[in-house]
Amino acid sequence: MREETIAVRARVRHEPDRSYAVLVDGPDGEVEVGRTFTTSEVLALARAGAARLFGVPVESIRTDAGIEFPRPPYGRDGQWVRIVAATDPDDPSEAEQVDRLGQAHWFGAEGAWFVTVTGSGTGVHPSEHLDFAPTVRDEEIAAFHAYISASTGRDS
């Protein structure tokens, strides 16, 4: 016998402490099912919370529509950020970006930021890996603009 699956809608609410509240539409309306400081835990929290709400195994829960992950209130497109952590610190390409300045743009489909970093291009970074109020040195800005100009073939 094939087990039925339940498609649920979930969303994230940004909290003042920079945690993520995970909300799921359950049988009695929207319910907060957990909080985390890590974007990578959001989907698991949504599925586990929905399973509890509907009284079914986690494997029965689908989030076909994805999770609505709005732009955080503390970030804006084009602002300077400093990378303060790597998802995999053992990966040299990620570890080398820690403490580097970048320019961020929200990427809602990933619930994260596209961050362009001098010398290494653009990558996706979760909010918790970024300092949104970095100290920025003039030479970092100059190096960034030179890098962008060189990569686009334009003079600034």
Side-chain angles (χ1 to χ4, degrees):
M1 181 172 163
R2 186 171 171 253
E3 192 171 303
E4 291 295 317
T5 60
I6 300 170
V8 298
R9 188 185 76 76
R11 71 179 180 95
V12 169
R13 182 180 65 221
H14 296 280
E15 298 299 315
D17 65 358
R18 288 189 58 178
S19 66
Y20 310 108
V22 180
L23 300 106
V24 171
D25 279 343
D28 298 320
E30 188 176 65
V31 175
E32 182 179 323
V33 295
R35 289 186 187 206
T36 182
F37 283 94
T38 309
T39 55
S40 63
E41 295 176 356
V42 167
L43 178 60
L45 272 173
R47 291 185 72 222
R52 283 191 312 273
L53 292 173
F54 288 96
V56 298
V58 172
E59 300 77 34
S60 299
I61 300 297
R62 293 187 340 255
T63 54
D64 293 346
I67 295 178
E68 181 186 330
F69 213 122
R71 174 195 316 263
Y74 47 79
R76 67 184 189 290
D77 283 341
Q79 84 174 78
W80 296 114
V81 296
R82 190 162 307 277
I83 298 172
V84 295
T87 301
D88 181 2
D90 294 329
D91 179 343
S93 66
E94 285 190 46
E96 77 174 8
Q97 290 192 0
V98 173
D99 200 39
R100 306 229 0 237
L101 186 71
Q103 193 171 46
H105 294 275
W106 181 244
F107 184 38
E110 290 291 326
W113 297 87
F114 273 140
V115 180
T116 302
V117 176
T118 303
S120 59
T122 302
V124 178
H125 296 272
S127 295
E128 64 267 18
H129 290 182
L130 303 173
D131 173 2
F132 287 88
T135 300
V136 179
R137 298 184 315 272
D138 290 340
E139 57 270 15
E140 289 178 304
I141 294 172
F144 180 85
H145 288 300
Y147 172 72
I148 294 299
S149 293
S151 66
T152 61
R154 293 183 288 155
D155 292 328
S156 37

